Amino acid sequence: MEGVLSGFAVIAIVIAVGYGLGRRGTLGDQGIEVLTRLAFTVAGPALLFTTLAKADLSVLFSSRLLVTALSTAAVAAFFAAIGVLRGWDAGRTTIGALCSGYVNSGNLGIPIAAYVLGDASLVAPVLLFQVVLVTPLALTILDLSGMGEKGGLWQRLLTPLRNPIAIGSLSGVVVSAAGWHVPGPVMNPLTLIGNMSVPAALLTFGMSLHGSTAPGRGRDRQLVLLSVALKSLGQPAVA
């Protein structure tokens, strides 16, 4: 318990520092965007590659993946059913279903897995499930509803291969499955870059909290409250 509390304390402190940076405007108007791109396109993929390249693949293909898939499907289906009964359009219902079942496996998932659970690879099943399956499916529905960017079937199916986080994760899985040994001159720089992922993500999250509007307002108030309830209570209960 002490280790768990210590891990969350570290995360909370770094987020608080990020909030202070955002409040003071220390990194300028583009600070959040720059840190987000750094964490998402460079540091995050490097961290997941170096972790999964040495990980036991049973972590990926285990009951954790099944729990993730079933709990996500359950709350998304419940939200969709409510949307049909209330007459919400397909686009808003899809976004609400995503908000209900899609977890923050990047900015918060990776830090919690690394500092609280002690193993960043534990977030991989959730992350890959969302990026490889859920995201292309949601984008397809949004395209058909007229809310998404138009694209061909292959473009939607190849969405995961354009995602840096997915590329880093899948590459690490391939290396681990093949039993390859990544030489030190390659692995060491990637490890160093990957170490930036957690602080960059947490600082970004903290900075984003400054100036954010209070949730639950506007015409989508009911959708927001329902998705928050499903995310905070429904999905953990199902899981």
Side-chain angles (χ1 to χ4, degrees), residues 33-46 162-165 167-168 193 197:
E33 181 178 355
V34 172
L35 280 180
T36 299
R37 290 184 177 180
L38 173 65
F40 182 75
T41 64
V42 181
R162 301 196 302 270
N163 185 305
I165 292 289
I167 293 173
I193 294 173
S197 175

Side-chain angles (χ1 to χ4, degrees), residues 95-147:
I95 296 298
L98 282 176
C99 291
S100 302
Y102 206 100
V103 301
N104 189 341
S105 56
N107 285 7
L108 287 179
I110 294 175
I112 290 175
Y115 280 90
V116 178
L117 303 179
D119 185 0
S121 68
L122 293 176
V123 78
V126 180
L127 193 151
L128 289 176
F129 170 73
Q130 292 184 159
V131 173
V132 174
L133 183 61
V134 177
T135 298
L137 178 61
L139 292 177
T140 299
I141 296 175
L142 290 175
D143 285 346
L144 295 176
S145 68
M147 290 188 62

Side-chain angles (χ1 to χ4, degrees), residues 48-222:
L48 289 170
F49 173 81
T50 55
T51 301
L52 292 173
K54 299 177 292 184
D56 181 0
L57 291 186
S58 64
V59 172
L60 286 179
F61 306 104
S62 65
S63 59
R64 297 185 185 95
L65 181 58
L66 182 61
V67 169
T68 297
L70 292 179
S71 61
T72 299
V75 294
F78 184 85
F79 189 98
I82 297 297
V84 172
L85 293 175
R86 298 300 301 271
W88 296 333
D89 60 75
R92 294 167 71 205
T93 301
T94 300
I95 296 298
L98 282 176
C99 291
S100 302
Y102 206 100
V103 301
N104 189 341
S105 56
N107 285 7
L108 287 179
I110 294 175
I112 290 175
Y115 280 90
V116 178
L117 303 179
D119 185 0
S121 68
L122 293 176
V123 78
V126 180
L127 193 151
L128 289 176
F129 170 73
Q130 292 184 159
V131 173
V132 174
L133 183 61
V134 177
T135 298
L137 178 61
L139 292 177
T140 299
I141 296 175
L142 290 175
D143 285 346
L144 295 176
S145 68
M147 290 188 62
E149 296 181 0
K150 298 301 179 182
L153 175 61
W154 280 108
Q155 182 178 352
R156 291 192 291 269
L157 293 177
L158 293 176
T159 295
L161 298 182
R162 301 196 302 270
N163 185 305
I165 292 289
I167 293 173
S169 300
L170 292 173
S171 299
V173 169
V174 169
V175 170
S176 178
W180 296 334
H181 172 71
V182 181
V186 175
M187 184 64 82
N188 292 339
L190 289 175
T191 301
L192 184 61
I193 294 173
N195 289 338
M196 295 190 295
S197 175
V198 171
L202 293 177
L203 289 174
T204 300
F205 182 75
M207 292 171 64
S208 70
L209 295 178
H210 175 65
S212 298
T213 57
R217 298 179 179 179
R219 73 185 185 99
D220 291 328
R221 181 174 183 271
Q222 291 183 337

